[in-house]
Amino acid sequence: MEKELKISFEAIRNYDSLDDTEKKLFDEAKKIRENAYAPYSHFHVGCAVLLENGEIITGSNQENAAYPSGLCAERTTIFWTAANFPNVKMKKLFVIGAPKDALSSTPIPPCGSCRQSILEYEAKQQEGIEIYFASLDGEIFKTKSIRDLLPFSFDSSYL
Ligand code: THU
């Protein structure tokens, strides 16, 4: 029997449609993107995470001459967050990625490994993390949880 899965997401038309907190996260993700260390792909990604205590943690992708040793912006950011604030919930995660010198771009969703890592912290904190992925121009997609981007996900309940 063939079945269908439904995922939901919100398409936010532009920056002005964001509330003040979301605008701040967009700005921070875009700003930290400038710190990306991506001499191999020249693809620069910035990430901003809002914690329940109001702090915003940011990070960028970090590449390595031994390519697989590099890390995406999302995991750089959430691993640092989890290491430093192990008991503080993550509420929202914003990501903006584009080629280094691009002036315009499309929204770049988190890669599969980052989705899996974000899922781990959602499960740990027993609360969804809202995911936003945006273009440089302010076109934004939003999901209420990483589960919307990772159907049939593997988590500790199977172990
Ligand atoms: N990258 C991220 O930082 N996040 C993603 O979700 C996708 C890819 C980085 C990894 C690498 O440094 C560059 O973008 C090209 O793949």
Side-chain angles (χ1 to χ4, degrees), residues 58-103:
T58 58
S60 59
N61 54 325
Q62 299 296 317
E63 298 188 347
N64 192 285
Y67 293 178
S69 300
L71 199 62
C72 292
E74 297 91 318
R75 276 175 291 160
T76 303
T77 309
I78 60 171
F79 290 162
W80 194 93
T81 302
N84 288 279
F85 297 94
N87 300 313
V88 185
K89 287 181 179 167
M90 303 183 208
K91 303 294 283 183
K92 296 172 187 282
L93 181 150
F94 227 101
V95 57
I96 301 182
K100 183 174 184 288
D101 296 320
L103 298 174

Side-chain angles (χ1 to χ4, degrees), residues 96-118:
I96 301 182
K100 183 174 184 288
D101 296 320
L103 298 174
S104 179
S105 69
T106 53
I108 301 294
C111 79
S113 296
C114 289
R115 294 178 200 201
Q116 185 69 32
S117 296
I118 295 166

Side-chain angles (χ1 to χ4, degrees), residues 30 32 41 45 85 91 125 157:
K30 200 169 173 179
I32 202 74
S41 73
V45 186
F85 297 94
K91 303 294 283 183
Q125 68 182 33
S157 66

